[in-house]
């Protein structure tokens, strides 16, 4: 079974440019999450989709970030315009279980996209 | 939010049992305690999850006392490949969000 995939693995852009990150979750997983780790900090939650709907976007840092999940399959995270502080590793994760069940906190993470804004 | 506290780093030798303890004094009644493992250049990987008492799987055991204010991840007979960062996660107390809240984790270094 294919795991969560993310594209690209690395992206280097200049301040002010636009970047779009893509995540393909495990087939059949309704839940899709975005997280990120900026330099020296902890992994932080960004948002949560259930199918194509945004369930929780409380972690989105500002309106320069736009996430979509067309048709409830893959998801994109666009940063426009990118700023220096957006540099970090962006992780996507998916799950099928519901919170509160014995494996409800099991999320399958992709390898991440390393974003560098110069 | 359930803040977790765990040692920043630990060292061990191959073949030893490693126990990593995490404190989560304000864990919510409906939250599970979950542990993840992360290797360099990879995303975190789920290890084990429990609510109380003891849970065991093919990778590890998780011990949670009755008051649930702490938990201990036990890795039997570690090998060099167990060198990684281990995260203890509480929850956010909400019943309908699945977001994970990561702390700084414990960097485990296994030596030959």
């Amino acid at each position: 079974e294919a795991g969560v995939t993310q594209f690209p693995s690395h992206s280097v852009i200049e301040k002010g440019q636009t970047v779009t990150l893509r995540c393909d979750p495990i087939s059949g997983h309704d839940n899709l999450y975005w997280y990120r780790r900026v330099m020296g900090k902890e992994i932080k939650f960004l948002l949560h989709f259930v199918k194509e709907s945004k369930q929780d976007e409380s972690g989105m840092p500002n309106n320069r970030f736009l996430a979509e999940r067309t048709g409830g399959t893959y998801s994109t995270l666009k940063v426009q315009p990118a700023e220096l502080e957006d540099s970090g590793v962006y992780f996507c994760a998916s799950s099928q279980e519901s919170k509160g069940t014995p494996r409800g906190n099991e999320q399958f993470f992709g390898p991440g996209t390393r974003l560098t804004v110069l | 939010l359930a803040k977790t506290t765990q040692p920043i780093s630990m060292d061990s030798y191959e073949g030893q049992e490693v126990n990593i303890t995490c404190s989560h004094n304000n864990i919510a009644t409906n939250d599970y305690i979950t542990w993840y493992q992360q290797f360099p250049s990879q995303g975190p990987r789920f290890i084990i999850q429990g609510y109380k008492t003891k849970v065991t799987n093919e990778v590890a055991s998780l011990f949670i006392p009755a008051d649930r204010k702490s938990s201990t991840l036990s890795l039997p007979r570690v090998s060099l490949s167990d060198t990684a960062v281990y995260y203890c996660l509480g929850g956010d107390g909400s019943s309908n969000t699945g977001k994970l809240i990561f702390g700084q984790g414990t960097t485990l270094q296994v030596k030959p």
Side-chain angles (χ1 to χ4, degrees), chain A residues 101-107, chain B residues 20 32-37 45-64 71-76 86-90 100:
Chain A
T101 60
R103 292 184 78 90
N105 286 341
E106 180 176 13
Q107 297 180 14
Chain B
I20 306 174
Y32 282 77
I33 296 144
T34 311
W35 287 78
Y36 275 75
Q37 174 191 56
R45 183 175 76 104
F46 174 92
I47 301 177
I48 197 165
Q49 174 178 321
Y51 186 78
K52 60 181 177 181
T53 63
K54 177 183 175 181
V55 180
T56 298
N57 62 21
E58 65 278 5
V59 177
S61 294
L62 179 60
F63 301 91
I64 305 169
S71 61
T72 299
L73 176 73
S74 181
L75 304 172
Y86 292 83
Y87 296 98
C88 164
L89 284 70
L100 300 178

Side-chain angles (χ1 to χ4, degrees), chain A residues 23-85:
Chain A
C23 168
D24 286 83
I26 292 173
S27 178
H29 282 191
D30 290 338
N31 296 295
L32 187 148
Y33 305 84
W34 283 97
Y35 297 85
R36 77 170 179 177
R37 168 188 273 145
V38 296
M39 182 69 73
K41 299 291 184 62
E42 298 157 359
I43 298 171
K44 295 288 189 183
F45 166 83
L46 295 178
L47 88 159
H48 170 206
F49 284 98
V50 177
K51 298 184 181 179
E52 68 274 9
S53 300
K54 292 176 184 175
Q55 180 77 11
D56 179 357
E57 51 185 329
S58 61
M60 294 289 265
N62 52 60
N63 59 10
R64 295 186 293 103
F65 289 76
L66 175 63
E68 296 179 325
R69 189 179 183 192
T70 307
T73 55
Y74 71 92
S75 175
T76 58
L77 179 65
K78 182 163 71 174
V79 185
Q80 179 183 28
E83 298 290 344
L84 300 179
E85 64 265 25

Side-chain angles (χ1 to χ4, degrees), chain B residues 78-92:
Chain B
V78 294
S79 63
L80 296 177
S81 62
D82 292 317
T83 294
V85 179
Y86 292 83
Y87 296 98
C88 164
L89 284 70
D92 67 347

